[in-house]
Every structure is written in structure tokens, then in C-alpha cells.
Amino acid sequence: MGELGIGKSRLLEFTAKLAAEKGLRVLGARCFEAEAVRPYGCWADALGPVIAEFADEPIRRDLALFLPRGEASANDEGSRTRLFAAVASLLASIDEESPFVLMIDDLQWIDEGSSYLLHYLLRATDVPARFLFIAAAREDALEDNPCFKRVVSAMVQE
């Protein structure tokens, strides 16, 4: 976390390059202020390119929200539960091939659903994948986005 222009994104780019050179897969996304109302936007950007490679048909159906023309609804609790489990399953499948890094830039603009999913994946003991999570965010925006504040507070507490 740091102030605007201090080099947070550049540090993520450097880390991604170093991880790729070491043979790790890098899954990356950026949150956008104008897209804070786009549910799971950063997850669609990060995971969309690897779904076809790593998810079997039932998991792909549960992850349809992340694919172009996704028609899945995440409005009911059952859907959210299936979605979170499907993402955990996808990450475990990726992890079986090789270790990976998950990066999210501009985390201060994360949407509510994405923040819940991130918290779940970082703290859930039943998520079998082991991965390095790296994010960058503007510290001065902590109070502006309650979703961001909750997930950062939970990460610090854990």
C-alpha cells in the first residue's frame, strides 16, 4: 500500500516478470474505479484466460460468470457458494500443474463480490491450492471503499 505514483504497479510488473522467469504462472488483474459495480470483474479478468485449460465442464458451468457472455447469476447464496467452490477448484487444478502467483492491482476499487471471494480464498482452510497473493492499493483510499477496508482488515488480522 502506498500513495499515488509511488511505484506500486511497477513493483507488481517486476514481480510478475520475475515469477514468470522462475517458471510460475502469473494470474493478474486490475480493479477499476469506473467498474466497481461490475461484479467479480477482477476475477473474470484474472481467471477467464485459464478456465478452458484447467476446468472441467461442471466447473466451467459454475464459472460461466467469468467467461464472455456469461449468463450465470450470482444473486442467490447457493450460486455464490458454488461460484466460490468452483474458483477454489480451478485454483487447485492450476496448482497441480505448477505453483502460481495471483496479483490484483488497484485493490482499492475492488467490488463487493470480488472482495468476499478474495477473503474466502485467502482464509479458507478447505482451499487446496497454495499460491502467492500480491496486491497493490492506494492507502489513502482505504476509507472510501468499505469492501476494500473489510478485506484489508481481515488480511491484516489473519
Side-chain angles (χ1 to χ4, degrees), residues 11-12 26 35 45 54 69 78 80 103 114 119 122 126 129-130 139 155 157:
L11 183 58
L12 287 183
V26 177
E35 295 181 13
D45 295 344
F54 289 99
R69 299 184 193 153
R80 181 177 281 184
M103 296 182 164
S114 293
H119 182 257
L122 294 178
D126 61 339
R130 301 289 173 239
E139 194 167 22
M155 286 189 286
Q157 186 177 31

Side-chain angles (χ1 to χ4, degrees), residues 1-154:
M1 290 180 61
E3 62 192 52
L4 180 66
I6 200 166
K8 299 176 300 297
S9 296
R10 181 83 172 130
L11 183 58
L12 287 183
E13 290 169 12
F14 175 79
T15 304
K17 181 180 176 198
L18 186 61
E21 288 172 0
K22 299 287 183 185
L24 290 111
R25 181 179 293 267
V26 177
L27 306 175
R30 168 174 266 136
C31 299
F32 296 94
E33 184 175 21
E35 295 181 13
V37 295
R38 178 181 162 219
Y40 304 105
C42 63
W43 291 105
D45 295 344
L47 301 179
V50 295
I51 290 173
E53 183 180 351
F54 289 99
D56 60 19
E57 186 56 36
I59 297 297
R60 273 197 298 275
R61 275 194 305 271
D62 289 337
L63 296 173
L65 182 67
F66 297 157
L67 298 170
R69 299 184 193 153
E71 297 176 12
S73 170
N75 293 333
D76 68 89
E77 204 53 43
S79 307
R80 181 177 281 184
T81 300
R82 283 190 308 276
L83 177 66
F84 286 18
V87 171
S89 178
L90 175 66
L91 295 181
S93 295
I94 295 168
D95 185 50
E96 285 177 11
E97 181 183 280
S98 70
F100 66 96
V101 178
L102 174 63
M103 296 182 164
I104 302 178
D105 198 3
D106 290 323
L107 195 64
Q108 72 271 8
W109 292 316
I110 195 167
D111 65 272
E112 184 177 20
S114 293
S115 70
Y116 291 145
L117 177 53
L118 176 60
H119 182 257
Y120 170 78
L121 292 170
L122 294 178
R123 71 152 217 61
T125 56
D126 61 339
V127 175
R130 301 289 173 239
F131 57 92
L132 177 63
F133 172 70
I134 305 171
R138 287 186 15 214
E139 194 167 22
D140 62 345
L142 187 62
E143 297 299 323
D144 296 341
N145 183 341
C147 301
F148 171 59
K149 184 176 180 179
R150 278 193 304 268
V151 76
V152 168
S153 295

